[in-house]
Amino acid sequence: MSIKNRKVLIVEDNELNMKLFNDLLITIDCEVIQCLDPLAALNLIQVNMPNLILMDIQLPKISGLDIIKWVKEDSSLSHIPIIAITAFALQEDKDKILALGCEGYMSKPISMQPFLDKVNEYLV
C-alpha cells in the first residue's frame, strides 16, 4: 500500500502521547497529521480525508465522543474508520464508544505492538 493510502489523523491533546503515536506510525510508513486542538479536528478531517483517525476521548473544550458522532453522521466522512484511544477503560465506556460507530478501541497506556497491529488492520 502506498503512503497516500496510509494517512492517519491523530486527535490528541497530550503532546507526549502525540509524539509517541506519531513516531510509531512513521515506523510503519504512515503519513501523519497531528491535531492538538480538538476544535480544529472536523476541519482537518474534511480537508485531509485521512484513511484512519486515532481519537482521544478526554479532550479540552469538546469531547472526542462529539467529534466521533459528527464524523459518523456526515455521509462524506462516515466511511473513515476511527480508533478511540482513551484512559476510559471500563467495559461500559468501551460499549458507549463503539456504539457511536468507532471501529476500534484501545485503552491507555497503549502497548506498542498491539497499537501497530490495530492501525495496520484498518490500513490494509
Side-chain angles (χ1 to χ4, degrees):
M1 178 175 279
S2 70
I3 198 163
K4 71 178 181 177
N5 294 324
R6 297 183 65 81
K7 189 184 310 184
V8 180
L9 173 69
I10 307 168
V11 182
E12 169 66 65
D13 65 311
N14 180 294
E15 291 186 25
L16 290 175
N17 286 338
M18 179 67 82
K19 180 170 177 16
L20 172 64
F21 300 156
N22 181 78
D23 291 352
L24 288 172
L25 291 169
I26 288 172
T27 69
I28 58 170
D29 297 323
C30 292
E31 175 186 345
V32 179
I33 304 156
Q34 296 184 13
C35 180
L36 287 163
D37 177 3
L39 294 177
L42 198 54
N43 184 56
L44 280 173
I45 295 166
Q46 292 168 325
V47 169
N48 292 284
M49 295 301 288
N51 303 104
L52 177 65
I53 300 168
L54 302 179
M55 179 68 62
D56 186 15
I57 300 301
Q58 285 185 286
L59 296 165
K61 305 176 194 161
I62 187 169
S63 169
L65 297 173
D66 291 325
I67 299 170
I68 293 165
K69 185 177 180 206
W70 294 335
V71 169
K72 293 304 179 179
E73 289 178 349
D74 184 325
S75 62
S76 67
L77 304 175
S78 62
H79 68 281
I80 302 171
I82 301 174
I83 300 174
I85 302 177
T86 181
F88 292 138
L90 298 176
Q91 185 63 42
E92 62 192 44
D93 296 321
K94 180 179 179 180
D95 293 344
K96 180 179 180 180
I97 290 166
L98 293 175
L100 285 175
C102 269
E103 284 75 12
Y105 168 93
M106 297 191 78
S107 60
K108 293 178 185 175
I110 63 155
S111 297
M112 186 172 70
Q113 196 57 54
F115 172 82
L116 294 173
D117 291 344
K118 181 66 83 174
V119 167
N120 275 321
E121 179 183 331
Y122 293 99
L123 294 178
V124 175

